[in-house]
Amino acid sequence: MVRSGGEPKPAGRATGGTDPARFRERFLQGEPVETGVRTSILNSWQRCRSLGLSPDQSDLPFREDFDPGGRIVRAAVPVLDRLQAKFSGSEMNISVADANGTVLLRRFGRASLARSLPAFQKVPGFVFAEQVAGTNGIGLALAERQLIRVYGAEHFAERSQQSACLALPVRDPLSARIEGVLCMGYPRRAETPGLGAVIRKAAAAIERRLLGQSSERERALLTAYLAAEAEAAAGPHHSVAVDELARELRPREQAVLLEKATELISGAQRAAVDVSLPGGRRVTLLSRPMTSASGTEGIAVEAVLPGATPAEVLVLPHQFDATAGIAAEPVVVRAVPSLARSSLTPPPGRLLSDGRPGLVAAGGKATTNGADATADDHPGRPSGARGLVMVGEPRVGSYALAARRRLELLSEASARVGTTLDVCRTAEELTETAVPRLADYVTIDLVEAVLRGEESADPLGDLRRTVVHGIRDDLPFIPVGKRPDFGPTAPQLRCLTGGQAVLEPDLKVAAGWLALDPEHTEALLAHVHSLIAVPLVARGVVLGVAGFYRSQDPAPYGDDDLSLAQELASRAALSIDNARRYTHERAMVLALQRRLLPHGLPDQDAVEVAHRYLPAEADVGGDWYDVIPLPGSRVGLLVGDVVGHGMLSAATMGRLRTAARSYAELDFPPDEVLVHLDNLVGRLDREDPDGEGTGIIGATCLYAVYDPTTQRCVMARAGHPPPALVRPDGTVTYPDLPAGPPLGLGGLPFDAVEIDLPEDSQLILYTDGLIEDRHRDVDAVLERLRVALAQADRTPDETCEAILDTVAPDHPYDDIALLVARAHALDARRIATWDLAADPALVSEVRAAANRQLADWGVDEAAFAAELILSELITNAIRHGAGPIRVRLLYDRALICEVSDASNTAPHLRRAASTDEGGRGLFLVAQLSQSWGTRYLPQGKVIWAECELDAA
C-alpha cells in the first residue's frame, strides 16, 4: 500500500540558497561534486541515482503488517517518553524504526505538531529505507551503520528539503545486530547544540533495556531449573562431589568446561559429551532442552562425575550486573558452607546472555518440567552424581561461541599473517586465514606500485587483482592480474575514498555493487549474498582493498563481522606495508649491488669466463666477483663476501671491490693483495661512526692470478671457501689452500699457493651462500658439487647452470656469487725469450733478434716502436739494475715487451729539464706504448710495456 507523503514540490533548485542546495543542483545536472559534499551524503546521492530514484517523488511505501509491540518497541517506549518530555513544546519529531527502515513509533515535542505534518512524518508504518526513500536520516544510518546527520538540501527527495535530522542505529548488546534506528527530526532553523550527546544517551538506554529483556528470559530459565531441582530433592538425592573437585580444578580446566557448555547450548539439542580436562580428568556434560514458565526455551548443561561420592550440594550464586532498570538479583537456592573455598568461580571474560559472569552450579538429581534428569536418559553413560554447569538460550550460546571463535581467529591471524616479507604471499596469508571462518571468498586488490615496493600517486586508478581465494575455484571473480574497474558507487571504491570499511548485508539490493558490472554481478549473485569491503591502509599509505564475501552461511554479515574484518585487514595491511617497505629497500640495495658489480667481462684471452649472481630471498648481502686483466697476458680472478646484509654491506662491497682491483692492478701478488684488503677493512671498522671500533665489518676473499704462458695459478684466500678445480680429464679436486683469517682481524699472515692449471681446466670460485645452508651439511654439499662438476666437456656457462640447478639451495638465505674460468694457454710460438749479460754491446743484437721475431709473427708495423722500447728498457736494466737480464716478447692481443733483472729498484717517469742529458727514456716509452709498469718478483722486477697492434 502506498499513501501520499504530502503535497509534491516542483523539481529544481532547492530553496534557501545554502551550499548543500547548490551542490545538490550540480549533482542532479550531472556535474562533478567530489569536493564540498560530505562523503556519506555523496555516496548516498550516487546510490539513489543508480537506483533510478526521482528527487520529486513524494510517495513512500507503507506497511500495515508492522509489529507495534515488538522487542525494539517495548525497549524504546519509556525512552521516547522521556525524550518527549525533555523536548516538550519544541518542534522535535522523535521516531524509532526497525532494521528495515519501517517507522514503528512517533513522539512529538508539541502535540499540535502532529496535526500540521504530512502523513509520512507523523504516522508509523512508512518505510524510510534508502533504496525507496532516497537520502534521509533513517535510511542512511542503516546504510552507513553509524550516527548520521542530514541537513536540508542534503536530503535527496524534495519533500524533506526543509528538515534536518539526526539518526543513530540501535544494536542488540549481545549480537551487535542492528535492531532499529532512533531518529530525531526538526526544522532546519531549529538546530540545537548537544543533540548528538542526547541521541547517543537515548540509544544506549534502549540498548540497556534490550539487554534487560535477555536477562529476564535467562532468570526465568534458571528459576525453572532450580524449581525442578527443589522438587526432585524431596526424593532420593545424589549430589555432585564438587567440593573435592573444586579444590583441584585449575583455571584452564574450568575454562574448558565452560567453553564446551557454551557449545552445547548453542547446539540447541539433547547431547552427551565426554570432556577431557588438561589435568587428565574426564567429565561428562549433558545438555537437554527446557522451557521456563513464561515459555522461554533454553538448554541446561549438567556435569556428571563418574564414581563420585555423595557430598553436600554446592550452588554458586548467579551474579547479576547492575544495569539501568535492572536490579542486582542473586539467585541462591541454599547456603553452602564450602562456597568460600570453592575454585569453580567462572573465569574472567566468560559471559552469559546478559554479559554477566556465567552460572556454575552443582545440584543433585534434578528434573526439568517433570523430566527425569538422571544419567538413565543417556544409556551407556557412566552413572554418578550430577550438577548444573550452565543454563541459557541457544542464540545466546551462539553469540558467545562466535565471540570466542573470533578471538581465536584473531590470535591465529597474528601467527599466520606476515610470516614472510613478500607482498603477494602476505595477501595470500590473509585470505587463507579468513576462509572459511569469516568469509567463503576473499579478493585482494593491491595498488600496482605497492607490488613493486613503491607508493602510488593514484591508488584508486592503479589497482590490480592480486589474490582470489575461496571454498571453490570456479566463481566468476575478476582473475588475478587483471585491473578491476570499480564504479563510483562500488563498495570497494567507497571504502577507499572514505577510508572506512563498507558493509553490504544484502548484495541483491546493493545498488552500488549491482551497478559495478550488471552481467558480472548477476553471475556472482548465484553464489554470494553478503559483502564487506575493507581498505588496506597502513602508516597513511593506501595499499589496496580486501573484499570478504559470504555464500554458505545464510545469515548476512553484521557489525561484529565488520569489526573482525577490519581488524584482520588492519593487521594484514601493516604486514603488507612492512613487506612493501622491505621490497623497496631490497630493490634499492639490489640495484646498488648490481651497479657495483662488473657490468661486462674485460677483453682477454687467458681464460674463458662465466659468472652468476643470485641475491638472497631475504636480505641482499655483499657478495662480489671480478675479472682483472694483468700485464703479461695474465688475469686476476677475484671473489669476495662482505659480512651482513643490506645497504651497508652493498656499499662496503663496492669499496672493497674497488680497492681490490686497484691493488691487483698494482701487480701485487695475491697474498699481498689480501694484506692490503685486511688493513682496509680494519680501517673501515675503526672509522665506522656506529661501530665504536668493535669490528662490525668483516669480509672473506679469494684471489687467484693465472699466467697462460706458464699455465700456473697463484692463489690465496682470507676465510673464504676453497675453490674447485676440474681438470681436462674430469677429475675434480679442492686445492689444499690455507684458509687464512677473514679480512679485518689484522696482524695475521696470508699464505699463497701455486698450482698447475693445464689448458681446458676449469677453476670454480664461489661464495659461501652456495654451500652453507642451515638445513644442509657443508661436507655433503661439497660432495654434491664434486659430482656436479665431474664433466669436463661443459662450457663455463653450462657449468654455472649445472651448479645452480643441482647445488644451490632452493631458497637461499645468503647471496651467491659464482665465477667459472676455463684456462687457455698462450701458444709457445707466440713467446720469444732472450737471456743476456749486463753488456751494452748486446743491446743491438737483441733488437735485431726482436725485429726478426716480429717479422715472423707478421707484425712488422710494430717493429719501430718495439725496437725503441726494448732499447730503452734494456739500457736502463744494464745501467741501473743487476744481472741476469731477460727479455721477453709476448704476441697476444697486444705486443708485450718485458725486461727483467735482479734489482728491486724501479724507474719513475719524470719530466726532464732542458739542461738534463738523460731522463727522457721512460717518457719516450710512455709515448710509444699503450701502457707500461713495473711488476716485482721474489728476485727482482719486470719492466713491461704494451704496444697496441692496431695503432702501431
Side-chain angles (χ1 to χ4, degrees):
M1 177 179 178
V2 178
R3 294 184 179 177
S4 173
E7 293 296 327
K9 296 183 179 181
R13 181 179 295 276
T15 59
T18 61
D19 283 343
R22 178 163 51 87
F23 285 114
R24 177 178 174 275
E25 181 70 16
R26 290 175 54 188
F27 174 81
L28 294 176
Q29 293 176 359
E31 300 178 14
V33 290
E34 281 71 16
T35 59
V37 181
R38 288 182 292 150
T39 301
S40 59
I41 299 298
L42 180 58
N43 289 338
S44 180
W45 287 356
Q46 291 172 337
R47 292 195 295 269
C48 293
R49 183 163 59 184
S50 65
L51 288 166
L53 298 180
S54 174
D56 58 353
Q57 178 181 348
S58 58
D59 294 333
L60 289 178
F62 181 82
R63 294 184 55 185
E64 293 182 334
D65 60 345
F66 72 91
D67 186 4
R71 184 168 179 246
I72 184 68
V73 172
R74 288 185 283 113
V77 164
V79 179
L80 262 64
D81 289 342
R82 290 197 295 270
L83 287 176
Q84 184 178 26
K86 178 179 180 65
F87 293 101
S88 176
S90 70
E91 297 181 89
M92 186 67 68
N93 183 348
I94 309 165
S95 60
V96 169
D98 63 14
N100 297 316
T102 303
V103 174
L104 307 177
L105 287 174
R106 289 283 189 185
R107 293 290 188 273
F108 304 97
R110 191 173 67 243
S112 60
L113 186 63
R115 295 190 294 271
S116 62
L117 292 175
F120 75 90
Q121 289 184 326
K122 65 181 180 182
V123 179
F126 283 96
V127 180
F128 283 83
E130 185 186 65
Q131 56 266 32
V132 295
T135 306
N136 69 90
I138 293 175
L140 192 52
L142 289 173
E144 299 288 335
R145 311 178 76 83
Q146 60 182 341
L147 178 66
I148 288 296
R149 174 182 176 274
V150 183
Y151 183 83
E154 291 181 334
H155 291 86
F156 185 76
E158 298 284 352
R159 60 177 174 267
S160 302
Q161 297 294 293
Q162 300 300 322
S163 302
C165 62
L166 200 63
L168 180 64
V170 177
R171 291 177 169 83
D172 185 331
L174 296 178
S175 65
R177 185 178 60 243
I178 292 179
E179 293 286 335
V181 177
L182 175 62
C183 182
M184 303 174 67
Y186 47 91
R188 289 190 308 177
R189 65 180 182 278
E191 182 74 26
T192 304
L195 279 184
V198 172
I199 197 171
R200 289 183 188 276
K201 186 176 180 180
I206 297 175
E207 291 174 351
R208 285 197 300 271
R209 293 186 59 82
L210 290 173
L211 180 62
Q213 293 177 12
S214 299
S215 302
E216 291 171 3
R217 291 196 299 270
E218 187 179 275
R219 283 199 298 272
L221 287 171
L222 179 61
T223 301
Y225 180 90
L226 296 178
E229 180 194 81
E231 180 182 347
H237 186 76
H238 300 284
S239 62
V240 179
V242 181
D243 235 16
E244 298 177 7
L245 180 65
R247 286 192 293 268
E248 301 176 7
L249 282 181
R250 298 181 178 86
R252 177 56 185 154
E253 296 173 324
Q254 302 171 27
V256 170
L257 281 178
L258 292 177
E259 290 173 5
K260 196 62 183 179
T262 304
E263 293 181 13
L264 291 173
I265 290 177
S266 65
Q269 59 185 353
R270 185 183 295 269
V273 178
D274 287 333
V275 181
S276 298
L277 300 179
R281 190 179 291 104
R282 295 180 65 85
V283 176
T284 300
L285 292 182
L286 305 177
S287 68
R288 51 197 177 82
M290 59 177 296
T291 305
S292 70
S294 61
T296 300
E297 296 182 351
I299 298 292
V301 179
E302 298 169 310
V304 176
L305 305 179
T309 57
E312 61 179 344
V313 178
L314 173 64
V315 178
L316 299 187
H318 204 96
Q319 302 174 12
F320 285 76
D321 287 341
T323 58
I326 305 176
E329 194 173 334
V331 179
V332 183
V333 177
R334 60 182 66 88
V336 182
S338 60
L339 179 60
R341 65 177 182 270
S342 172
S343 62
L344 278 176
T345 306
R350 169 56 57 186
L351 302 179
L352 284 181
S353 61
D354 55 358
R356 297 162 293 169
L359 169 68
V360 179
K365 174 181 177 182
T367 59
T368 304
N369 293 337
D372 185 24
T374 66
D376 295 336
D377 292 340
H378 304 276
R381 292 294 175 186
S383 60
R386 173 182 305 184
L388 180 65
V389 174
M390 187 178 291
V391 64
E393 295 180 83
R395 68 182 186 90
V396 176
S398 299
Y399 299 153
L401 185 60
R404 178 164 60 85
R405 288 176 176 170
R406 290 188 181 99
L407 290 175
E408 292 173 350
L409 180 58
L410 288 176
S411 176
E412 182 178 339
S414 299
R416 289 188 59 182
V417 179
T419 60
T420 69
L421 288 172
D422 181 83
V423 173
C424 292
R425 180 57 194 149
T426 304
E428 290 173 357
E429 290 171 342
L430 169 60
T431 63
E432 292 168 358
T433 303
V435 175
R437 285 184 288 178
L438 173 61
D440 297 308
Y441 301 93
V442 180
T443 62
I444 304 291
D445 302 306
L446 295 180
V447 177
E448 191 168 4
V450 170
L451 299 174
R452 301 190 302 266
E454 305 169 1
E455 295 184 20
S456 175
D458 181 23
L460 303 182
D462 195 21
L463 291 174
R464 188 169 295 277
R465 180 59 49 89
T466 306
V467 182
V468 177
H469 182 66
I471 56 176
R472 288 171 51 187
D473 298 330
D474 56 348
L475 263 64
F477 286 104
I478 298 172
V480 173
K482 296 294 183 181
R483 198 181 292 271
D485 184 17
F486 296 129
T489 60
Q492 290 87 346
L493 199 62
R494 285 160 47 200
C495 81
L496 283 175
T497 55
Q500 298 292 328
V502 173
L503 170 61
E504 292 289 2
D506 188 358
L507 289 176
K508 293 181 180 179
V509 298
W513 187 77
L514 293 171
L516 173 63
D517 184 346
E519 182 178 353
H520 175 251
T521 53
E522 183 179 355
L524 278 177
L525 276 178
H527 305 278
V528 299
H529 62 79
S530 194
L531 164 67
I532 298 176
V534 187
L536 298 173
V537 181
R539 302 183 182 96
V541 177
V542 177
L543 307 172
V545 59
F548 299 87
Y549 294 85
R550 176 170 285 179
S551 65
Q552 289 192 327
D553 190 342
Y557 279 128
D559 287 293
D560 279 349
D561 301 307
L562 180 67
S563 299
L564 180 59
Q566 286 179 304
E567 181 64 25
L568 283 177
S570 177
R571 297 186 182 194
L574 190 60
S575 297
I576 291 174
D577 189 53
N578 288 340
R580 177 195 68 83
R581 293 156 69 95
Y582 165 76
T583 301
H584 179 66
E585 181 177 346
R586 184 177 187 273
M588 290 193 301
V589 175
L590 187 57
L592 175 63
Q593 175 86 344
R594 294 192 183 280
R595 183 67 179 172
L596 295 175
L597 289 173
H599 293 167
L601 297 177
D603 294 331
Q604 50 81 35
D605 294 327
V607 292
E608 179 186 352
V609 179
H611 56 86
R612 297 290 188 274
Y613 171 73
L614 186 65
E617 286 191 352
D619 295 329
V620 178
D623 292 20
W624 87 91
Y625 59 88
D626 209 345
V627 179
I628 309 168
L630 297 176
S633 295
R634 296 170 305 133
V635 64
L637 304 174
L638 188 66
V639 171
D641 181 8
V642 175
V643 174
H645 300 86
M647 191 72 72
L648 176 61
S649 295
T652 303
M653 178 274 289
R655 299 173 72 177
L656 289 184
R657 176 178 171 254
T658 301
R661 190 178 186 92
S662 299
Y663 297 143
E665 289 177 344
L666 288 174
D667 231 334
F668 291 134
D671 52 336
E672 290 190 26
V673 169
L674 296 184
V675 169
H676 288 294
L677 288 177
D678 181 57
N679 293 333
L680 174 62
V681 173
R683 188 162 57 252
L684 292 177
D685 262 341
R686 293 188 295 272
E687 293 174 356
D688 180 38
D690 300 321
E692 299 180 357
T694 57
I696 64 166
I697 298 175
T700 65
C701 184
L702 191 154
Y703 180 43
V705 176
Y706 172 65
D707 189 344
T709 65
T710 62
Q711 299 178 42
R712 302 283 291 175
C713 182
V714 181
M715 61 183 73
R717 62 182 176 131
H720 203 81
L725 175 61
V726 184
R727 296 192 178 275
D729 59 358
T731 304
V732 181
T733 60
Y734 295 101
D736 186 12
L737 179 62
L743 300 177
L745 295 183
L748 297 175
F750 299 95
D751 297 322
V753 172
E754 187 174 16
I755 63 173
D756 289 322
L757 201 61
E759 187 171 13
D760 291 331
S761 298
Q762 290 192 12
L763 187 65
I764 294 90
L765 312 181
Y766 50 88
T767 56
D768 58 3
L770 178 67
I771 61 172
E772 293 184 5
D773 188 346
R774 65 190 71 176
H775 305 296
R776 303 188 300 175
D777 180 70
V778 174
D779 292 335
V781 177
L782 288 175
E783 183 59 31
R784 184 185 301 180
L785 178 60
R786 183 195 304 273
V787 174
L789 293 175
Q791 188 171 337
D793 57 349
R794 290 195 186 107
T795 66
D797 264 314
E798 292 171 342
T799 301
C800 284
E801 292 300 323
I803 293 173
L804 294 182
D805 290 342
T806 60
V807 182
D810 295 332
H811 303 284
Y813 73 95
D814 196 5
D815 291 15
I816 297 175
L818 179 63
L819 189 64
V820 177
R822 170 181 281 176
H824 295 314
L826 185 62
D827 191 343
R829 292 172 297 181
R830 288 174 170 252
I831 305 173
T833 305
W834 299 274
D835 293 318
L836 64 154
D839 183 359
L842 300 177
V843 176
S844 59
E845 296 180 8
V846 174
R847 285 202 308 264
N851 284 332
R852 289 191 298 270
Q853 184 63 66
L854 294 179
D856 292 342
W857 287 340
V859 289
D860 301 276
E861 67 275 11
F864 176 74
E867 183 178 359
L868 292 178
I869 291 174
L870 286 176
S871 296
E872 179 59 32
L873 295 183
I874 295 173
T875 301
N876 280 344
I878 294 174
R879 287 183 178 180
H880 308 292
I885 298 173
R886 168 168 289 190
V887 178
R888 189 171 70 160
L889 288 181
L890 303 177
Y891 176 28
D892 198 9
R893 289 176 175 267
L895 180 64
I896 304 171
C897 304
E898 294 183 346
V899 176
S900 60
D901 64 81
S903 171
N904 289 324
T905 304
H908 297 282
L909 180 66
R910 64 183 180 86
R911 185 179 298 275
S914 58
T915 57
D916 291 342
E917 295 184 0
R920 296 176 177 83
L922 282 182
F923 182 79
L924 182 62
V925 170
Q927 296 300 311
L928 293 174
S929 64
Q930 178 182 347
S931 59
W932 73 278
T934 303
R935 178 170 76 251
Y936 291 95
L937 303 175
Q939 295 84 26
K941 65 179 182 299
V942 176
I943 309 297
W944 57 269
E946 289 187 4
C947 295
E948 189 173 6
L949 295 178
D950 293 341

